[in-house]
Amino acid sequence: MPEQWTDGLNPPHGGQLVNRMAPASEQAALQREAATLPGWSLNHRQLCDLELLLNGGFSPLQGFLTQTDYESVLSDMRLANGLLWPMPITLDVSEDFARGLNVGDRIALRDPQGLNLAILTLSDLWRPDRLLEARQVFDSEDPTHPGVAYLLEDSGPVYLGGTLTGIQAPVHHDFQALRQGPAELRRLLAEQGWQKVVAFQTRNPMHRAHQELTRQAARQTGAAILIHPVVGQTRPGDIDHYTRVRCYQHLLQRYQGESVRLSLLPLAMRMGGPAEALWHAIIRKNFGASHFIVGRDHAGPGKNALGEDFYGPYEAQELVKAHADELGIEMVPFRKMVYVAQRGRYLPAEAARSDETVLSLSGTELRQRLKQGEEIPDWFTWPEVAAELRHRHPPRHRQGITLFFTGLSGSGKSTIAEALNARLLEQGQRRTTLLDGDVVRRNLSEGLGFSREDRDRNILRIAWVASQISRHGGIAICAQIAPYADTRQRARAMVEAEGGFVEIHVSTPLATCEQRDRKGLYALARAGKIKGFTGISDPYEPPKDPELTIDTRDVSPDAAVDQIIHYLEQAGYLRPRHLPRDAANEEAETRVPLLDRQLTVR
Ligand code: PPS
């Protein structure tokens, strides 16, 4: 390993910073070649991996792991040459794509828009035991672990190994001035004359506690601070990186004359806890850091299926410590930081005396406060950061929401949906879009029939449109049979990524719907003239846990609308009617208690 690294910063892992980008003079020819090759369209995680393989963030890797390296990483956390490397970086593809490929083939790796980014020269092709990989890397087979879930549910069954030739780096249009590869970041750090740099990894917004922690780390080590947040793939449900980066930019202004730099890392995290902490340290070493902060539950995946933590809170620190000598980057371990009210400052939890008032706010509590429009205390974060978070998580009465009616044909869905739409428009608080089953089938889903496949397509199209409406703060009112439970579940998941979802089961029984037979369809279905009719010759799977249930035998459309509006007010999605509509009252009005999820209207 070379002793000298000329920029004066910590040398990269393995002594050399990899650069797999082809010289500019060769790129046009490679583009022409790539257009003729079999092409693999990279998913988000693979795209992130490719970027760090090409620019040296994953030095000493020269490409996706070969089978020998892969097996060695799994069994020993080392490459076959003995160098520490705890995370398998593999290219998983489908059987279809792998069919017909041979060692030595060249494969074009493309971004989702079809742009050729790199050529992989295939050296290995194998079918891994993904369950074994889950056990060895994550110490778990539980798919509530995002790293395990990717392996067992999303990844392709064939791995391709080989070296890379980069044609063009993945394109980013956001925060370009904050995106540096390892070579460029090293140049900037060296230009500032910093030789010791302590890196801070995060996938969350940063608040006062985090600033204090970085300050203390800098004081302890005499190093400059590198805030190096992950902006690739993080844990599902995390705050989007656009919001986070704006928060980090505010935070930067709150340092006072300290040496600090912000740079974004396009890493796809695996939430692998201890092994991931080791990997993060190696990556930061490649970016020039001499020290790396490892806190409580570093890269933790949340709770397992039994509600327990996957890893001990300080297991990551222990593993990094155990490899301290060969890592070549020094860990700065931190315990949980708390605000000590009497002293008006943050301290490690164990430094507070038992008679002192200790304050902290968990991520869950913060999200809850944002959701309810409650105060974010000053001791916790700065007003400008709180404002960014509020903007991203508006109180419920400004959040988008989808009201998803489901029930048999003739159950009364459309009537109630229409009445609800009219009443909401009359109130004038919110913008609504009515997506009625029949209307959707004439427009969005024209040409689809009533096979299981076509019904699913229909519902998922509606869900996609509803998710977009919700994303922009509107109310989508959808009224369709939606007979299959798992499709409704998929619709819910699509919408909940963007806003609220309220499932309203119009539970009027089949006998009543058939007796009413408003469109004469039940008679036709009974006579066998309509095939696969819901309730007669095709199943309707009633929702098990809808937010609301309405049986139109017992309740008029107007009374049903009253009940739905009452629910929406109680849940905070609508402001109570007696309050004025002006914005000045918004903050006070959002503090409505949460209602139990279920309500049955009869
Ligand atoms: S689905 O299953 O959710 O995609 O159905 P949806 O889009 O709501 O369409 C249901 C309306 O189509 C008419 N129709 C049928 N319904 C059920 N099964 C079959 N085979 C069928 N063929 C036509 C029926 O009028 C439904 O309207 P509503 O308003 O529900 O009565």
Side-chain angles (χ1 to χ4, degrees), residues 130-175:
R130 286 170 287 173
L131 198 60
L132 178 74
E133 179 178 335
R135 277 201 298 268
Q136 292 197 286
V137 179
F138 301 117
D139 198 17
S140 172
E141 295 173 11
D142 181 344
T144 47
H145 186 305
V148 176
Y150 179 84
L151 273 175
L152 303 187
E153 291 165 8
D154 297 330
S155 70
V158 184
Y159 283 5
L160 307 184
T163 51
L164 290 165
T165 308
I167 305 174
Q168 100 156 68
V171 185
H172 298 285
H173 299 286
D174 57 329
F175 304 115

Side-chain angles (χ1 to χ4, degrees), residues 200 202-207 210 229-230 234 238-239 244 248 367:
F200 182 68
T202 183
R203 41 168 266 270
N204 285 311
M206 289 175 70
H207 305 294
H210 305 103
V230 173
T234 63
D238 280 348
I239 292 182
R244 285 192 286 119
Y248 306 138
R367 275 191 292 278

Side-chain angles (χ1 to χ4, degrees), residues 78 95 113 199 309 332-333 369 575:
R78 291 173 191 285
E95 284 288 358
Q113 285 73 42
D309 289 328
V332 186
R369 279 176 186 248
R575 294 179 306 169

Side-chain angles (χ1 to χ4, degrees), residues 308-377:
E308 298 155 347
D309 289 328
F310 281 92
Y311 311 111
Y314 296 106
E315 234 180 275
Q317 291 183 358
E318 284 153 25
L319 189 73
V320 176
K321 196 167 162 210
H323 293 87
D325 290 346
E326 58 179 322
L327 255 183
I329 176 167
E330 208 173 304
M331 173 175 67
V332 186
F334 265 92
R335 315 290 286 189
K336 189 179 155 122
M337 299 289 282
V338 291
Y339 185 74
V340 181
Q342 283 83 351
R343 297 194 236 180
R345 51 184 284 230
Y346 277 88
L347 291 174
E350 62 277 6
R353 290 193 307 268
S354 59
D355 61 331
E356 287 179 318
T357 312
V358 156
L359 300 171
S360 70
L361 210 59
S362 72
T364 316
E365 282 165 329
L366 175 64
R367 275 191 292 278
Q368 192 65 17
R369 279 176 186 248
L370 289 167
K371 207 180 255 177
Q372 307 272 15
E374 284 175 8
E375 187 213 343
I376 309 293

Side-chain angles (χ1 to χ4, degrees), residues 459-480:
I459 298 306
L460 295 177
R461 281 183 198 175
I462 293 169
W464 186 79
V465 174
S467 75
Q468 296 306 303
I469 293 167
S470 301
R471 180 189 180 125
H472 294 288
I475 296 187
I477 304 173
C478 314
Q480 58 290 306

